[in-house]
Amino acid sequence: MRVMDSVEHLQSLQNETLEAIARGEPLAAIMDSLCRQVEVIAPGVICTVIAADAEYRLKTLAAPSLPQDYSTAITGTPIGPTVGSCGTAIHRGEAVEVTDIENDPLWADYKTLALPLGLRACWSSPITARDGRVIGSFAFYYRQRRGPDDLERQIVTTCLHLCAIAIEHEEVSSRNHRLAYYDTLTGLPNRVHFNDAIARMTAASPLAFGLMLIDIDHLKTINDTMGHAVGDALIETVGARLARVAVNGMACRIGGDEFAVLLPGCSQTTQLRSVACGILAAMLTPFEHDGHSIIPSVTIGGVLAGEDGTDSTTLRQNADFALYHAKETRRGGYVHFRDGLRTSMTRRIQTIRSVADALTEGRIVPYYQPIIRLDTSEIVGVEALARMRLDDGRIVAASEFHEAMLDPKIAYRISGQMLAAVAADMAAWKRAGIHVQHVGLNVTSADFQKGDLVQRISKTFERIHLPLEHLVVEITEQVFMGDRKDSVARTMAALRERGVLVALDDFGTGFASLTHLLDFPVDIIKIDRSFVGGIESGARSSVIVEALVGIANRLGMKVIAEGIETQGQSERLQMIGCHLGQGYLYSRAVPASIVTELLQRLGERHRAQAQQPAAVTASAA
């Protein structure tokens, strides 16, 4: 009768356990229920289930008839050859029957835990996964010195199979959860996890948390120059340092070089700034990888829930606005959101869309401003300035869509469209017999990011069958002294080797100095209009311009003065040795059709007298 009842009980146990697994009930609850049912089927046994954790240590899953102190004491014990019945069974991968705990050497270090509870014997069997790994043990304790009987062996056979299914199911669920909610590279919560967390926090009352969005600076450059393995190491390092600083919050990786930090309980701007400063300080320590020493740099934008937004969408947008502003004005630093940023960023986004549409429809066109030989008023070249033709036909200057140029993709596209248009005009001038010595392009940092500037320029001029000696490439001091100055120097050197001339625009308004020209030589210096504007009345401006002209001449560089508006300025420039200039005194920027007429009319004497080569400078200014 006992056997028949036991078979039915085992069948019921198996069905109930498998159903609980299918329902996704917690592993600990499933194992607890299994142990309790086994103890009903086999009176006199005390049932336990032990797992082996990732560090190969014991972890109690279920022991409903033993005190919690006992389970706590054995949890964390390293598995080994003499670690009671369970630890030894897992270590050996085979069942271990100990009929006398008090005297068996396997229990020498652990019997003081078992004997006070009246436990005299223990039979433990390893739980084995389908791939052969031992993932735990299923044990019967006895209050008498004995081993298992036939019914108990039958119970254990059934239960080992059920335990293996349950534990493996939990492993798969945990693995899937980790893949769904955690970043594989850094181990941090991922975008999905972050979205869930900020949704919960914005639903709570009162709102009291801070949010920071963080970008790694120059990750693409590191990937391109040092390799993606170094870039991955940088991402890992930044993630680990963020987690250490935000120990009371949650650091997440939400994109390639993007991180977020949520700070529960943060309700003051000073608190948020303190954490941001801690993050920036944590990045100052270099780390080594594959022979490279790197100091991480990040830029941070921050918001406070409630003060800067009450829903997750607004908070994230405002944090983005703060981050973008920081990247433009304080790269490697922290900016807290303020209302004006939303307005300015919204305006910029609208401008970017307008310019993108204009580019797609071919409405970015060059207007040309003559460059004049000051002593004869002859046109010796032109500067091409980007203009946008609106839907209603009106033409607007680049200053009205300058914000769009801050977007690297837009800046890159504008340079490409300007280059193609100027090249087409040059080809037309050549067919008309108008001799123009040089054509140029003002390039931005965006033109160096893809590393294809030399190829773009070369292919464009090959298509119109013009030599590269007809090109002047113009860069500003911001590009000249920017983060990618080594790349800029290499690119410009490659262009100069092909005969291209290099002009440094707006000289004197940025961070460059003449000493830098020793390492980064250029062919032309364009003196900024701020110096030219004060040359008549300001002694300082005259001294500076005269010094620039003298030094440039000795270095073999030409000088062009920008922004000439009066005859007095022109005369003063000639007196101090500057012979080329441009400005409203001579002409505003005009369409290609008009500048063609000007070149035919005012450039003839220059060509006939075979003076110095003309310079055509293309710019997006």
Side-chain angles (χ1 to χ4, degrees):
M1 186 68 182
R2 183 189 177 207
V3 172
M4 292 182 62
D5 290 343
S6 299
V7 170
E8 292 177 359
H9 281 305
L10 279 176
Q11 186 65 49
S12 175
L13 170 66
Q14 180 170 288
N15 292 340
E16 289 184 22
T17 302
L18 292 175
E19 288 176 6
I21 295 171
R23 288 194 300 268
E25 293 186 10
L27 177 63
I30 295 172
M31 295 295 95
D32 184 86
S33 175
L34 182 144
C35 288
R36 292 181 187 276
Q37 293 185 65
V38 165
E39 291 174 357
V40 171
I41 300 172
V45 306
I46 298 170
C47 184
T48 68
V49 182
I50 305 294
D53 68 14
E55 282 77 37
Y56 223 50
R57 296 175 180 270
L58 300 179
K59 178 184 178 182
T60 302
L61 290 180
S65 297
L66 291 176
Q68 182 61 43
D69 290 347
Y70 183 83
S71 297
T72 302
I74 66 172
T75 294
T77 302
I79 294 163
T82 57
V83 183
S85 299
C86 294
T88 306
I90 296 172
H91 176 77
R92 293 179 181 176
E94 60 184 34
V96 172
E97 295 183 22
V98 172
T99 56
D100 184 1
I101 287 177
E102 184 174 11
N103 296 304
D104 195 297
L106 296 182
W107 278 85
D109 295 331
Y110 306 99
K111 62 185 178 182
T112 55
L113 295 174
L115 294 177
L117 301 177
L119 305 179
R120 295 292 179 265
C122 182
W123 171 42
S124 182
S125 301
I127 302 169
T128 306
R130 283 174 296 178
D131 60 6
R133 290 178 299 118
V134 178
I135 55 178
S137 69
F138 183 81
F140 281 173
Y141 286 89
Y142 304 103
R143 298 190 184 280
Q144 303 85 29
R145 295 183 178 90
R146 72 173 182 91
D149 60 24
D150 291 340
L151 174 61
E152 292 164 355
R153 291 185 185 278
Q154 184 181 356
I155 293 171
V156 168
T157 298
T158 299
C159 289
L160 286 174
H161 179 62
L162 294 174
C163 289
I165 293 173
I167 294 174
E168 284 191 277
H169 183 270
E170 175 71 11
E171 287 182 343
V172 171
S173 297
S174 296
R175 190 179 305 118
N176 290 342
H177 180 272
R178 186 151 196 87
L179 289 173
Y181 287 92
Y182 289 87
D183 175 56
T184 55
L185 179 60
T186 63
L188 296 177
N190 63 11
R191 180 182 290 273
V192 174
H193 197 155
F194 168 74
N195 290 342
D196 289 349
I198 194 171
R200 289 194 304 271
M201 295 171 78
T202 50
S205 182
L207 284 175
F209 69 90
L211 166 65
M212 289 185 289
L213 294 183
I214 301 157
D215 272 7
I216 299 177
D217 299 327
H218 319 304
L219 178 61
K220 184 180 185 303
T221 301
I222 289 172
N223 282 332
D224 292 344
T225 58
M226 301 181 188
H228 285 271
V230 178
D232 287 349
L234 174 59
I235 293 170
E236 284 187 272
T237 300
V238 168
R241 294 182 184 183
L242 286 176
R244 285 198 297 270
V245 174
V247 66
N248 295 320
M250 184 173 79
C252 310
R253 184 187 179 202
I254 58 176
D257 62 351
E258 302 172 278
F259 293 83
V261 172
L262 287 166
L263 296 167
C266 180
S267 59
Q268 302 293 325
T269 55
T270 52
Q271 291 175 278
L272 197 61
R273 180 173 294 278
S274 176
V275 176
C277 290
I279 290 172
L280 296 174
M283 299 300 157
L284 297 177
T285 304
F287 77 94
E288 304 287 333
H289 182 83
D290 195 24
H292 299 282
S293 180
I294 301 170
I295 300 177
S297 175
V298 299
T299 303
I300 308 171
V303 293
L304 287 176
E307 178 180 315
D308 300 318
T310 57
D311 62 273
S312 60
T313 299
T314 301
L315 286 168
R316 291 172 67 174
Q317 285 179 348
N318 289 346
D320 262 330
F321 291 148
L323 174 60
Y324 291 151
H325 186 69
K327 289 163 73 172
E328 292 175 3
T329 63
R330 201 176 302 171
R331 183 174 288 274
Y334 166 72
V335 166
H336 188 96
F337 173 78
R338 60 180 185 273
D339 288 337
L341 294 181
R342 173 175 281 274
T343 302
S344 63
M345 291 303 298
T346 301
R347 184 177 63 246
R348 176 183 164 189
I349 291 170
Q350 292 172 342
T351 303
I352 288 173
R353 288 174 180 168
S354 297
V355 175
D357 290 342
L359 284 163
T360 300
E361 297 166 9
R363 291 188 284 107
I364 298 297
V365 296
Y367 268 44
Y368 296 93
Q369 185 178 40
I371 297 174
I372 305 299
R373 177 170 165 174
L374 301 183
D375 60 345
T376 64
S377 296
E378 292 177 275
I379 297 176
V380 298
V382 293
E383 177 182 8
L385 303 170
R387 296 290 184 262
M388 181 168 66
R389 188 172 62 249
L390 303 181
D391 291 333
D392 61 8
R394 288 185 299 116
I395 299 293
V396 298
S399 59
E400 295 192 32
F401 56 90
H402 174 72
E403 287 182 320
M405 296 289 291
L406 298 175
D407 184 288
K409 292 180 181 178
I410 292 293
Y412 183 85
R413 291 180 65 190
I414 288 176
S415 294
Q417 203 155 109
M418 285 290 290
L419 174 61
V422 170
D425 288 338
M426 287 298 299
W429 291 333
K430 180 181 179 182
R431 290 193 299 271
I434 300 173
H435 184 66
V436 180
Q437 287 286 341
H438 296 106
V439 63
L441 179 69
N442 185 320
V443 293
T444 68
S445 296
D447 293 297
F448 294 92
Q449 290 177 2
K450 289 191 177 182
D452 65 346
L453 182 60
V454 175
Q455 294 87 339
R456 291 171 78 197
I457 290 173
S458 298
K459 289 180 180 178
T460 298
F461 275 77
E462 287 171 4
R463 283 195 294 267
I464 60 174
H465 306 294
L466 286 177
L468 285 176
E469 286 77 5
H470 288 276
L471 179 66
V472 175
V473 169
E474 186 173 328
I475 63 172
T476 64
E477 292 188 39
Q478 185 178 9
V479 176
F480 178 74
M481 294 300 297
D483 296 325
R484 302 175 63 88
K485 60 183 178 181
D486 291 339
S487 174
V488 172
R490 288 193 298 270
T491 300
M492 302 316 287
L495 287 170
R496 294 183 83 223
E497 288 175 1
R498 290 163 172 78
V500 177
L501 298 181
V502 177
L504 182 57
D505 193 19
D506 300 333
F507 188 81
T509 61
F511 303 102
S513 70
L514 287 173
T515 58
H516 292 113
L517 301 181
L518 299 175
D519 299 321
F520 191 107
V522 298
D523 303 287
I524 300 167
I525 294 176
K526 301 190 74 175
I527 300 175
D528 185 69
R529 64 183 65 244
S530 61
F531 293 104
V532 175
I535 200 169
E536 290 182 271
S537 57
R540 288 178 179 270
S541 293
S542 292
V543 171
I544 291 173
V545 172
E546 188 171 359
L548 287 175
V549 170
I551 295 173
N553 287 337
R554 292 185 180 183
L555 291 175
M557 301 173 185
K558 289 183 173 61
V559 177
I560 298 175
E562 299 180 293
I564 303 174
E565 298 184 359
T566 68
Q567 187 63 38
Q569 291 170 356
S570 176
E571 292 172 357
R572 180 60 184 153
L573 286 165
Q574 293 178 63
M575 288 176 59
I576 60 179
C578 180
H579 304 295
L580 298 175
Q582 64 189 103
Y584 289 172
L585 175 63
Y586 302 103
S587 175
R588 293 176 179 268
V590 295
S593 58
I594 295 178
V595 84
T596 299
E597 296 177 6
L598 293 176
L599 287 169
Q600 289 173 324
R601 183 160 48 89
L602 301 177
E604 289 178 352
R605 284 191 298 126
H606 169 72
R607 290 198 303 276
Q609 296 169 4
Q611 297 290 342
Q612 59 187 3
V616 178
T617 310
S619 166

